[in-house]
């Protein structure tokens, strides 16, 4: 009897993963990255995100933007190190590497310096800090590469539809621009023209901007043809109740988030956050009555969406918990310098983020 092989089904319109599940998964990884400065754990998070993107992304234009986010992350690390070299750092250090010429500043700028001595502790702290921000950007890039922005817009509440359209247009601009640049560089290479240098960049820039303008006009025309912006009349009492619930819910979310982040407010943070979320959801539900629109084939939140979103949330929860029992491993010391170690349980917690690579439907290109 042949062995039974468990394999994710091929992606189709019927079993397509909800776009919100990809964003919850990516935000869970980003929360985990914000809780550590260990470069080994941050590298593991980047590896998990990259593996899932490689296994489950499609050939759509927005799916090609992941590489651009990786390059942006590397640039952020480089920029953070340069700022640390030029502007100094409050981190004390004893291992002096070299000394830059220091620019004299007036008395009112005391506490700020340009140049001066550069220590190994200062550079290591800058690299750790830059890696954390780079990992956050790469996690967001993974969500951009995996989630269809149009399907995400379709799933938004009616009250957020107009704002969601603006966000989706902004989110798709960068991936489409990257795709246009790649296409034009390939065309120039096939014609035997140079693809590097200032002149080539200037010659590529004009067609890219022209394509972006044409897409903007096409989007505006399609929105106008679909009656974008139509609103229905609702009673004044409903409008006031909507505003009260939405504003009160947002205030509760802010206060609850602050309570969870602060050590003293953990007791009231979670109840406030839950009450704020319920009030905001009720306000959005009432606010959706003003929007006259229908959904064609609404996306379903199935078991696979729960598994994908839950894996990201689980990574975030486990890393937050790891800060309680292994804070030294998640934040390796800089003064004095010490070699970072890979803690076992936090590393295994990050590996939970690989679940989408096995349960999410396989795109036709990767099947």
């Amino acid at each position: 009897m042949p062995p039974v092989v468990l394999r994710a089904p091929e992606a189709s319109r019927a079993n397509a993963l909800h776009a919100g599940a990809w964003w919850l998964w990516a935000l869970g990884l980003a929360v985990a990255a914000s809780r550590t400065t260990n470069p080994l754990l941050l590298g593991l998070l980047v590896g998990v995100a990259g593996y899932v993107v490689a296994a489950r992304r499609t050939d759509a234009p927005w799916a090609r933007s992941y590489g651009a986010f990786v390059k942006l992350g590397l640039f952020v690390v480089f920029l953070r190190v340069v700022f640390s070299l030029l502007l100094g750092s409050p981190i004390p250090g004893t291992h002096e590497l070299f000394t830059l010429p220091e620019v004299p500043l007036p008395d009112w700028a005391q506490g700020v310096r340009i140049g001066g001595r550069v220590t190994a502790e200062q550079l290591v702290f800058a690299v750790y800090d830059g890696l954390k921000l780079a990992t956050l950007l790469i996690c967001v890039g993974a969500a951009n590469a995996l989630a269809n922005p149009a399907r995400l817009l379709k799933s938004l509440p009616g009250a957020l539809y107009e704002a969601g359209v603006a966000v989706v247009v902004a989110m798709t601009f960068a991936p489409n621009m990257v795709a246009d640049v790649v296409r034009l560089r390939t065309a120039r290479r096939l014609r035997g023209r140079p693809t590097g240098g200032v002149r080539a960049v200037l010659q590529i820039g004009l067609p890219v901007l022209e394509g972006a303008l044409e897409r903007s006009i096409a989007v505006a025309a399609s929105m106008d043809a679909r009656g974008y912006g139509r609103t229905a009349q609702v009673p004044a009492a409903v409008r006031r109740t909507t505003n009260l619930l939405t504003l009160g819910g947002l205030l509760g979310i802010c206060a609850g988030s602050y309570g969870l982040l602060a050590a003293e407010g953990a007791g009231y943070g979670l109840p406030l956050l839950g009450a704020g979320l319920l009030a905001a959801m009720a306000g959005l539900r009432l606010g959706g009555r003003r929007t006259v629109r229908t959904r064609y084939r609404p996306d379903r939140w199935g078991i696979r969406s729960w598994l994908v979103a839950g894996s990201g949330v689980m990574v975030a929860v486990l890393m937050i918990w790891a800060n309680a029992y292994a804070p030294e491993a998640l934040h390796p010391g800089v003064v004095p310098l010490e070699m970072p170690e890979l803690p076992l349980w936090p590393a295994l917690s990050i590996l939970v983020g690989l679940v989408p690579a096995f349960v999410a439907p396989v795109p036709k290109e990767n099947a």
Side-chain angles (χ1 to χ4, degrees):
M1 182 177 180
V4 179
V5 180
L6 297 179
R7 181 181 174 86
E10 183 176 332
S12 63
R13 182 178 291 273
N15 65 358
L17 202 69
H18 199 285
W22 285 122
W23 272 101
L24 287 176
W25 167 79
L27 291 177
L29 297 186
V31 170
S34 68
R35 295 291 174 168
T36 179
T37 56
N38 190 321
L40 300 179
L41 292 177
L42 293 174
L44 187 59
L45 281 168
V46 173
V48 168
Y51 182 81
V52 174
V53 169
R56 290 299 183 265
R57 72 174 174 180
T58 63
D59 289 337
W62 60 82
R64 304 170 191 170
S65 62
Y66 182 74
F69 278 91
V70 174
K71 295 177 182 178
L72 179 61
L74 295 176
F75 176 73
V76 165
V77 176
F78 170 76
L79 197 63
R80 180 66 180 87
V81 172
V82 170
F83 280 166
S84 178
L85 289 174
L86 296 180
L87 303 178
S89 174
I91 301 298
T94 57
H95 298 79
E96 184 175 345
L97 300 178
F98 52 87
T99 302
L100 296 175
E102 189 168 354
V103 178
L105 297 176
D107 295 337
W108 54 266
Q110 290 184 358
V112 179
R113 68 179 177 90
I114 300 178
R117 63 192 296 267
V118 178
T119 64
E121 292 86 351
Q122 168 186 340
L123 288 183
V124 170
F125 177 79
V127 170
Y128 286 178
D129 200 35
L131 282 175
K132 179 195 289 189
L133 182 56
T135 306
L136 291 173
L137 291 173
I138 291 173
C139 292
V140 173
N144 275 280
L146 293 169
N148 188 334
R151 300 179 76 91
L152 181 62
L153 173 64
K154 186 171 66 173
S155 303
L156 285 177
L160 298 179
Y161 179 69
E162 297 180 0
V165 170
V167 172
V168 168
V169 171
M171 287 169 50
T172 55
F173 175 77
N176 286 326
M177 186 176 64
V178 172
D180 287 346
V181 170
V182 173
R183 176 175 54 82
L184 291 171
R185 291 187 64 184
T186 303
R188 289 179 62 86
R189 192 180 299 112
L190 292 175
R191 293 182 174 90
R193 298 180 181 179
T195 58
V198 178
R199 184 177 180 182
V201 172
L202 294 177
Q203 292 177 350
I204 291 175
L206 184 59
V208 169
L209 293 177
E210 183 181 358
L213 180 61
E214 290 179 353
R215 282 195 302 271
S216 301
I217 294 175
V219 169
S222 63
M223 289 166 63
D224 184 66
R226 290 173 172 83
Y228 176 76
R230 294 178 300 171
T231 57
Q233 295 294 331
V234 295
V238 175
R239 291 199 303 269
R240 287 193 293 268
T241 305
T242 301
N243 296 333
L244 181 62
L245 288 174
T246 305
L247 182 59
L250 293 178
L251 290 176
I253 291 173
C254 293
S257 301
Y258 177 79
L260 290 177
L261 294 176
E264 298 81 5
Y268 67 84
L270 190 59
L272 270 179
L273 182 61
L277 285 173
L278 291 177
M281 291 174 60
L284 293 176
R285 185 64 179 267
L286 287 177
R289 295 184 179 182
R290 295 182 64 249
T291 303
V292 183
R293 71 185 188 99
T294 58
R295 286 190 177 95
Y296 177 67
R297 290 183 179 177
D299 291 338
R300 299 182 181 275
W301 192 282
I303 182 63
R304 297 184 185 274
S305 298
W306 282 111
L307 289 174
V308 170
S311 64
V313 174
M314 184 62 66
V315 171
V317 171
L318 291 176
M319 286 296 290
I320 292 173
W321 183 38
N323 271 273
Y325 66 83
E328 297 83 5
L330 268 62
H331 303 278
V334 178
V335 182
L337 280 175
E338 59 184 46
M339 184 67 66
E341 299 179 356
L342 183 64
L344 176 61
W345 292 113
L348 293 178
S349 303
I350 293 174
L351 294 180
V352 177
L354 290 173
V355 169
F358 303 98
V359 302
V362 184
K364 294 182 179 180
E365 297 83 1
N366 301 340

